[in-house]
């Protein structure tokens, strides 16, 4: 089975801090994704990557950046955390084909105080 | 633009009753469609997917979905709901290009009453 592991289930940070969310997948998938999930808004794409060192902006990239130095790892960075970034963050990975389903981690619930 | 609509925000069903969750999509070509389930505090788990062929697809946990091109719908069904099915359900369509992300509906929360 595909395993997507997010480094933290719960995280509490302060406004202005630089925050790193880590995601690792063990199936050699080319694609990796970061989503943000908020009540009533569903999942919104922040960034995705289709290869090492490649990244593409999603629907809501403002205030975020990403890093993919190795194929199995995709990091989401909050450059200067703000309270409106309090949310559930979900990482996913998939093969490159359109018909390939994405596999999700368990999520990181991030609170910015 | 591609989009997915789940008209029902919240549904309550009695245990043992049948279930249908609605999903409508907007997509120009043949869509690749997915249903995911999210239990409280967990990530998303794939229930089933449709790519082509038989329009009735079977998934895990006793779920099925029917693709109806004429109605742009991909509704999820289960003949008899169990209390453990209480969760949030998401319908999604694959984007246009290989490697692009899924486009999700806003989700339907299912409650199961005894």
């Amino acid at each position: 089975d595909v395993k997507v592991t997010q480094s933290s289930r719960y995280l509490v940070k302060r406004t202005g801090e630089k925050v790193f969310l880590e995601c690792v997948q063990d199936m050699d998938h080319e694609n990796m994704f970061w989503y943000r999930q908020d009540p009533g808004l569903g999942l919104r794409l922040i960034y995705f990557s289709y290869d090492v060192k490649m990244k593409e902006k999603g629907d809501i990239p403002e205030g975020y950046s990403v890093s993919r130095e190795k194929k199995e790892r995709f990091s989401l960075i909050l450059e200067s955390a703000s309270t409106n970034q309090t949310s559930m963050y979900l990482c996913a990975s998939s093969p490159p084909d359109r018909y390939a389903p994405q596999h999700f981690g368990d999520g990181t619930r991030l609170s910015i105080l | 633009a591609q989009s997915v609509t789940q008209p029902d925000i919240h549904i309550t069903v009695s245990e043992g009753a049948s279930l249908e969750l609605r999903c409508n999509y907007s997509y120009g070509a043949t869509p690749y469609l997915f249903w995911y389930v999210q239990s409280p505090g967990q990530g998303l788990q794939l229930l089933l997917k449709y790519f082509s062929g038989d329009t009735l697809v079977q998934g895990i946990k006793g779920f099925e979905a029917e693709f109806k091109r004429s109605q742009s719908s991909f509704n999820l069904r289960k003949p008899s709901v169990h209390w453990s099915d209480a969760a949030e359900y998401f319908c999604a369509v694959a984007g246009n290009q290989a490697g692009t992300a899924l486009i999700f509906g806003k989700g339907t929360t299912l409650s199961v009453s005894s």
Side-chain angles (χ1 to χ4, degrees):
Chain A
D1 267 359
V2 175
K3 183 75 172 173
V4 178
T5 303
Q6 295 184 230
S7 54
S8 304
R9 291 297 303 274
Y10 301 94
L11 206 53
V12 180
K13 296 292 183 181
R14 296 208 173 274
T15 303
E17 280 192 73
K18 190 169 186 176
V19 181
F20 293 84
L21 302 184
E22 306 287 347
C23 176
V24 177
Q25 51 98 1
D26 66 357
M27 282 302 291
D28 203 36
H29 284 166
E30 285 78 3
N31 296 341
M32 295 190 76
F33 308 87
W34 275 107
Y35 294 92
R36 171 177 172 161
Q37 183 180 17
D38 299 288
L41 298 179
L43 278 75
R44 294 179 291 168
L45 180 67
I46 305 172
Y47 269 97
F48 68 98
S49 168
Y50 53 87
D51 202 352
V52 176
K53 297 192 186 295
M54 305 302 289
K55 61 184 179 185
E56 294 283 344
K57 292 181 179 178
D59 300 318
I60 52 164
E62 296 78 19
Y64 303 95
S65 63
V66 290
S67 172
R68 193 164 181 203
E69 296 296 319
K70 293 185 177 181
K71 191 175 186 180
E72 67 270 18
R73 186 180 296 270
F74 192 36
S75 302
L76 180 69
I77 304 156
L78 285 66
E79 297 291 343
S80 178
S82 64
T83 55
N84 62 12
Q85 292 178 308
T86 291
S87 187
M88 170 72 98
Y89 290 87
L90 291 166
C91 175
S93 73
S94 75
D97 315 276
R98 278 186 62 218
Y99 53 78
Q102 294 180 13
H103 300 265
F104 284 82
D106 285 338
T108 295
R109 185 162 295 281
L110 175 64
S111 296
I112 307 296
L113 305 179
Chain B
Q2 302 141 40
S3 65
V4 174
T5 301
Q6 294 180 247
D8 304 304
I9 296 173
H10 190 188
I11 285 181
T12 299
V13 174
S14 298
E15 190 169 15
S18 64
L19 169 71
E20 183 169 29
L21 301 182
R22 296 183 291 164
C23 172
N24 294 100
Y25 66 89
S26 172
Y27 192 77
T30 300
Y32 294 160
L33 295 159
F34 306 83
W35 273 102
Y36 284 85
V37 61
Q38 184 181 34
S39 298
Q42 303 295 316
L44 275 67
Q45 180 184 20
L46 179 70
L47 284 175
L48 48 77
K49 56 187 183 285
Y50 171 77
F51 303 141
S52 64
D54 194 347
T55 56
L56 185 64
V57 294
Q58 303 296 322
I60 63 171
K61 303 178 189 257
F63 285 92
E64 66 178 27
E66 186 171 12
F67 171 63
K68 292 185 177 180
R69 184 186 299 275
S70 61
Q71 299 177 18
S72 297
S73 69
F74 188 55
N75 294 348
L76 182 71
R77 300 195 294 247
K78 186 169 184 178
S80 177
V81 167
H82 188 260
W83 64 266
S84 61
D85 293 323
E88 191 160 18
Y89 292 80
F90 292 94
C91 181
V93 64
N96 273 328
Q97 300 167 356
T100 57
L102 295 176
I103 299 161
F104 285 88
K106 289 184 168 46
T108 297
T109 299
L110 173 66
S111 297
V112 179
S113 60
S114 54

